[in-house]
Amino acid sequence: MKHSFRSLLRLSRRLGMGSPRKIYHTVGGRVAKRLGLKRTPFLPSSIDVEPIDTCNFACDYCQVTHWTRKTTRLTTERFISILRQLPMLRQIKLQGMGEPLLNRHLIEMLEAGRDGGGAISIVTNGSVYTGKVAQGLSSLRGTTIIISMDGATAETFEAIRVNGNFQKVVDNVAAMVRRRGRRVWPGIELRSLVTLRNAHELPDLVRLAKRLGVDKLTATTLLTDWGKEEMEGSIAPIDVSREDSRVDQSIRESRKVAAEIGVPLIVEHGQRYSKANRCAWPWQSSYIAANGDIVPCCQIADSSVVKMGNVFDEPFADVWNNDKYRELRRRIAGNDIPRYCRSCYGMKPVAASIDRRSQ
């Protein structure tokens, strides 16, 4: 039995599961969610950290496009201070509401996260790929680069990704794949937010993924209002979370094309939370903005909606079980969904006043 445990431990490390303590906290977080605990002794096993809160694109459904706040850039020193407070992390995503590669310290932060023992990923619009950035990204192990690609043609892509240049992004992805060569790392993937504007191009996007030689394509139809009533109007005309036969047909065709040409395709369609499938974020993950504000998840990603605390003002462990977090867990476990979470549950917004008690 002793040898079996050691063999399992070695296997878990090879699979990226980490140390026994990390495994303990990962499993514990899942149990805490299942039991609906208001107070949890288990620190998050994954985290989203925002390197910068501005972007060079202006997509109309993105809340950053409508922000007027002063830009904040996370420093490497502050990022490392976050990692020290969260030693149980197995997954770190360095991406928030901004374009992460606009932060010139990003490569240093990716290296620090990797050295901390976590699997690292970034989500980028693919527009920034200069010599120094290209060299830095190509040398990263244990890191996955996810490029947002919301169209298979320049016409569609540039109508959605305002200020973007389709050919430039395609060329940058091709350059990433060439530079990596036969190595496993970094992982290079495409991710597409499928809306009524671009759903018809999903089969061609599968073909583009094949030509570029990326590792995987993920297509998702989950578009939220960022917990804001004022954003509901921005997403309604393009949201495909509502049933639409054209979208379903395009997804079926895309799956067929992917199987025929050998492209790993993951489709996240109609996957909303529910009473039986509650959100795991309050028990297992958290989102930290560039200024240190702690927000429940990446689908809110704005502390003006709800702020749990600030990681630079007080220890994360104290915030993790403060009154606000305990109240959020109570409400999610009891299916008393706060206004700012209702979009992910496919619920219609209700009066914001009901959430004042959790602010």
Side-chain angles (χ1 to χ4, degrees):
M1 193 71 179
K2 186 176 180 181
H3 293 293
S4 296
F5 174 77
R6 288 179 176 173
S7 299
L8 179 61
L9 179 58
R10 286 195 295 270
L11 176 62
S12 71
R13 284 173 174 163
R14 286 200 299 271
L15 294 176
M17 294 178 68
S19 68
R21 290 184 66 213
K22 288 189 176 184
I23 297 171
Y24 171 74
H25 276 260
T26 299
V27 175
R30 293 172 183 171
V31 172
K33 175 209 167 188
R34 187 176 183 84
L35 296 177
L37 299 182
K38 290 191 294 183
R39 180 186 291 274
T40 173
F42 307 104
L43 288 171
S45 57
S46 65
I47 198 84
D48 280 23
V49 180
E50 181 180 71
I52 191 169
D53 57 5
T54 193
C55 187
N56 54 345
F57 285 10
C59 309
D60 56 4
Y61 56 80
C62 178
Q63 60 180 332
V64 175
T65 301
H66 310 281
W67 283 353
T68 57
R69 65 187 65 178
K70 184 179 178 180
T71 298
T72 301
R73 291 174 174 81
L74 185 68
T75 65
T76 304
E77 292 74 21
R78 283 198 151 190
F79 176 63
I80 291 173
S81 76
I82 293 172
L83 295 182
R84 286 173 177 161
Q85 294 185 55
L86 292 160
M88 298 300 114
L89 292 176
R90 287 176 51 208
Q91 295 181 324
I92 303 164
K93 184 168 73 173
L94 263 165
Q95 190 263 340
M97 291 310 306
E99 165 51 45
L101 287 170
L102 294 179
N103 186 325
R104 61 187 179 87
H105 300 295
L106 184 73
I107 303 300
E108 296 173 5
M109 288 188 275
L110 288 168
E111 292 172 343
R114 177 201 61 197
D115 293 344
I120 313 295
S121 65
I122 62 169
V123 182
T124 171
N125 61 30
S127 66
V128 182
Y129 195 64
T130 60
K132 185 176 289 188
V133 169
Q135 179 61 41
L137 290 177
S138 68
S139 65
L140 294 170
R141 295 177 58 84
T143 303
T144 301
I145 305 167
I146 303 167
I147 303 97
S148 297
M149 186 70 74
D150 295 340
T153 65
E155 181 182 10
T156 299
F157 178 92
E158 291 170 13
I160 296 171
R161 312 289 286 179
V162 179
N163 297 336
N165 182 303
F166 174 74
Q167 194 57 53
K168 180 179 181 181
V169 173
V170 168
D171 290 345
N172 285 345
V173 175
M176 288 183 199
V177 174
R178 284 197 305 271
R179 185 181 283 265
R180 181 183 65 177
R182 295 177 177 273
R183 291 174 294 151
V184 175
W185 300 109
I188 303 171
E189 304 177 3
L190 298 184
R191 184 174 182 88
S192 179
L193 174 60
V194 181
T195 68
L196 292 175
R197 294 175 177 174
N198 64 2
H200 63 287
E201 291 192 354
L202 187 55
D204 284 336
L205 190 56
V206 173
R207 297 182 181 98
L208 178 60
K210 177 68 174 182
R211 292 197 300 273
L212 291 173
V214 298
D215 303 322
K216 182 172 69 174
L217 167 64
T218 298
T220 180
T221 61
L222 180 60
L223 180 62
T224 75
D225 62 8
W226 311 105
K228 300 175 178 179
E229 285 186 277
E230 63 268 26
M231 290 296 295
E232 172 67 17
S234 298
I235 70 169
I238 58 174
D239 189 7
V240 299
S241 61
R242 301 162 178 81
E243 293 184 7
D244 191 298
S245 59
R246 294 169 297 176
V247 175
D248 293 336
Q249 181 180 350
S250 183
I251 289 174
R252 286 195 298 270
E253 183 181 347
S254 300
R255 292 186 192 277
K256 181 180 178 182
V257 171
E260 289 174 349
I261 65 178
V263 172
L265 172 65
I266 295 177
V267 178
E268 301 169 351
H269 182 46
Q271 298 177 11
R272 298 277 178 170
Y273 294 126
S274 64
K275 184 177 181 179
N277 177 36
R278 70 171 70 114
C279 173
W281 276 82
W283 290 273
Q284 296 173 229
S285 306
S286 194
Y287 179 99
I288 300 178
N291 66 354
D293 284 349
I294 300 169
V295 182
C297 75
C298 67
Q299 295 297 338
I300 299 172
D302 183 356
S303 60
S304 72
V305 176
V306 57
K307 175 181 173 180
M308 314 306 276
N310 185 289
V311 73
F312 302 133
D313 294 338
E314 53 188 320
F316 181 92
D318 292 347
V319 177
W320 188 234
N321 277 307
N322 66 12
D323 291 344
K324 291 181 179 180
Y325 255 118
R326 294 201 303 271
E327 175 66 4
L328 176 60
R329 293 184 187 118
R330 182 195 68 78
R331 296 190 67 175
I332 296 297
N335 206 42
D336 175 21
I337 308 303
R339 189 293 169 229
Y340 50 77
C341 296
R342 294 178 73 85
S343 185
C344 282
Y345 278 75
M347 297 177 174
K348 292 182 179 180
V350 293
S353 60
I354 68 167
D355 297 317
R356 287 175 184 166
R357 53 190 157 159
S358 62
Q359 296 294 317

